[in-house]
Amino acid sequence: MLVYGAKGLTARSQARGLLALAVREVWGLSPLPEIARGPHGKPFFPEREDLHFNLSHSGDLALCALDAAPVGGDIQLVKQWRPSLPRRVCSGGELAWLEGQPELWPAFTLLWALKEARAKESGQGLTQSIRDIQVPFPEEGPVLFDGLWFQTWSGPGWAAAVCGHSKPPEKIFEKVLDIPTV
């Protein structure tokens, strides 16, 4: 698994530019292959079903995960969510973990990104209650949980996670995009 990231996006469409760059660098494919969507919205390359990817963006940030097996990734800006949201989307164990964290919203955002990444990896999306999506608690380094690998990253004002069958990298390959808005 490889994970690419970019910041400074000025338009949502630029996230696809990160995918095109990653696919060209990793798999030597240019132009970007045709993209289709599965029944629950997961993107895939219909002409190259042996290559898997996932793309996420939030604000001016984008994250792209590539692998030879299903993969999911999510990036989120940290914000103050509605106070009732953690109780609606977290299990009892997750709520207890959140209560022990020094800052609620960065910890919640990491947990949310993990749940989104797992939902994206499966291709099911959020078709079940997000409370029922089980993920490991965020920690340093790759974590093997329930037969899948998870990795989280965070920085000032953002949190990201990936989920897949291959061990994720310790770091995101940060790229500078010089891509016009489309």
Side-chain angles (χ1 to χ4, degrees), residues 1-3 141-142 151-153 162 166-173:
M1 178 189 309
L2 291 171
V3 181
Q151 172 76 38
T152 59
W153 302 273
V162 292
S166 303
K167 189 173 183 180
E170 295 275 341
K171 295 185 178 186
I172 297 171
F173 296 109

Side-chain angles (χ1 to χ4, degrees), residues 9-108:
L9 279 66
T10 57
R12 178 181 180 169
S13 61
Q14 290 174 314
R16 192 172 277 212
L18 178 63
L19 174 62
L21 174 70
V23 164
R24 185 174 64 247
E25 287 187 4
V26 175
W27 294 320
L29 299 176
S30 184
L32 186 64
E34 174 191 348
I35 297 173
R37 295 208 175 261
H40 299 288
K42 184 173 182 173
F44 69 99
F45 300 131
E47 300 298 321
R48 291 299 308 263
E49 292 189 39
D50 58 320
L51 304 177
H52 298 266
F53 71 94
N54 204 239
L55 186 62
S56 179
H57 67 278
S58 184
D60 71 337
L61 305 172
L63 183 83
C64 174
L66 303 177
D67 204 351
V71 65
D74 191 55
I75 192 163
Q76 296 285 329
L77 293 176
V78 174
K79 62 182 180 181
Q80 187 166 343
W81 304 72
R82 289 186 315 263
S84 63
L85 188 60
R87 293 218 176 276
R88 283 194 18 242
V89 302
C90 294
S91 68
E94 291 165 345
L95 288 171
W97 178 82
L98 283 171
E99 288 174 10
Q101 300 307 303
E103 293 183 66
L104 172 64
W105 298 118
F108 175 78

Side-chain angles (χ1 to χ4, degrees), residues 1 42 52 66-72 118 121-123 144-150 162-168:
M1 178 189 309
K42 184 173 182 173
H52 298 266
L66 303 177
D67 204 351
V71 65
R118 182 157 194 178
E121 180 279 331
S122 72
L144 186 59
F145 176 85
D146 205 17
L148 294 168
W149 284 99
F150 293 84
V162 292
C163 170
H165 299 264
S166 303
K167 189 173 183 180

